[in-house]
Amino acid sequence: MPDDRAPDDSLSLHQPAREITRREMLRAAGGLTFLALVPTGRLAFPFALPATTPDAPTAPLLFTALPYIQPGDNSRLVAGAESVVVAWQTEPRASTFTVEYGLTTSYGRTAAVSVTARPGPTADDGHLNYTAALTALDLGRTYRYRVREGARTVVEGYFTTRKPRGTPIRFVAFGDNSYGDPGQRAIAWYAYQARPDFVVNTGDNVYESGLDSEYIKYFFPVYNTDVGGPTTGAPLIRTVPFYTVLANHDCHGKDANKHPVADLEKSPDALGYFTAMHLPLNGPTAPPQPMPLVGDPAAFLASAGSRYPRMGTYSFDYGDAHFLCLDSNVYVDPTDPGWAAFIEQDLSSTDATWKIVVYHHPAFNVGNQHYAEQQLRVLAPQLERLGVSLVLNGHEHIYQRTKPFTFLPDGPGAARDVGSGNRLVHGHFTIDETYDGSRVTTPKGIIYITTGAGGKELYDPGYSTAPEKWLHAEDDHVAYAARLFTDLHSFTVIEIDGGTLTLRQIDEHNAEVDRIRITKA
Ligand SMILES: [Fe+2]
């Protein structure tokens, strides 16, 4: 089946960076063709439908987020029972939308459209969140869809559903995305050029505080651009789903103990994660430590529904891989038996060849900025026993790849000291020094990847070529890091084909800075 999401070959990897025209973008890669959406003049967003006639009676409707693809509540791969969510946001003015979909541009099926209201940072600047669930889909198929406002077409596009077992997949991962800075836009563009099936966003999805107003300013205008390029961003999220995780910059405010909370009184548009994203809802119904809320939650809950707090932890399958996404924020006690039970149930019940765990705060991090926040080390023995191959993190604004190793904690240490400044867990490393990722490719232990160089200012300058700085007395100077790249922003490309996983790290100029292969024994 041709990959009709794929960018034009002339724009493939390793080409010199250049801007492309709107015509090229629409022809090459959009996944969506946006008809007649024009900027309203305030930066890149919002967009408006132009009036149909010069004397149209009403002003065009403003879009604060153009239609984007979301994974929806799908975990296991079930042929014929797949669904995808198309979401978009507008100014708070009532309108009527229709969403049609099908295997051809004849469509043939109509999705129900839901809408909820979200407050803005002040009382008079909220917006409306629209969603349409496109249901009863097959796996690994490309579907067409069309969104109309009244009789007027807003977008025509297409997407591809999750690939079934036995099918090669490719995805990209990055985190700590920033304020629409140049590095974030370059990463978005080259991540798009890598032709991923989906994106894993390893947290700090938007700065500074995960507010809806920040998603509107810094997230959608970068990952859902109408015109793509290394200085603008890409139409990525209109093409493929984003799987995101909760992180420190996705909550907002501090309580009386200076522990992070979502302060809905101070910021009514906090926790955009739970209202703009639509992720699987198979996490714990009552998480042991959910994202804490302050203030009247009624308006937030009316929009988030059952997504809060359940969407903070979830899992899903894609091709031959199973992904477990955890909330690693400092209010979480990773020694809580409730988390262990959920992890046990989730990872022991999948038949996937590859098990990949995603959370924001790296458990094994030789960087300096967040060295004390390595509380998730206590999970290592369980993840090893349950056959996890790879862990993906963000938080530290660098790329770091570890050697394969197993880790035996001395005990819980300070891991359960929720909110404390130093939660590093001491223990014993058993490092596989023979694995090199090219000739010896079957590791003994887990490889931990920190891919937090997705846009925000970088940490630890000079560390890339100074391995003596990777050693810490707290870990008895154990050399468990294999590669650091801290000089440029970068993202991870992972391809899985049967028993082979290939990982590449690509910098903001589209150069490959690391590559390993992992094979199953
Ligand atoms: Fe972070």
Side-chain angles (χ1 to χ4, degrees), residues 149-235:
E149 186 206 14
R152 184 163 40 188
T153 297
V154 178
V155 300
E156 293 174 326
Y158 49 87
F159 59 85
T160 300
T161 51
R162 287 185 301 162
K163 293 178 175 171
R165 294 271 193 259
T167 310
I169 66 169
R170 179 192 302 139
F171 69 97
V172 296
F174 52 79
D176 307 82
N177 302 350
S178 92
Y179 300 98
D181 296 348
Q184 179 186 2
R185 293 176 186 275
I187 293 304
W189 174 245
Y190 290 117
Y192 175 66
Q193 291 291 291
R195 308 181 187 187
D197 293 317
F198 60 97
V199 173
V200 171
N201 204 160
T202 57
D204 287 354
N205 304 309
V206 67
Y207 282 79
E208 180 65 29
S209 305
L211 306 179
D212 249 326
S213 50
E214 294 168 336
Y215 274 89
I216 290 168
K217 283 189 287 189
Y218 307 130
F219 186 87
F220 294 116
V222 175
Y223 303 115
N224 200 7
T225 55
D226 198 30
V227 177
T231 61
T232 51

Side-chain angles (χ1 to χ4, degrees), residues 176 204 248-249 360 395:
D176 307 82
D204 287 354
N248 50 309
H249 284 282
H360 183 63
H395 201 38

Side-chain angles (χ1 to χ4, degrees), residues 18 21 137 154 241 316 348 368 373 393 414 440 468 500 514:
R18 68 178 178 89
T21 65
L137 307 175
V154 178
F316 66 97
S348 65
N368 269 327
E373 300 168 40
N393 306 128
V440 181
E468 70 278 6
T500 300
D514 194 24

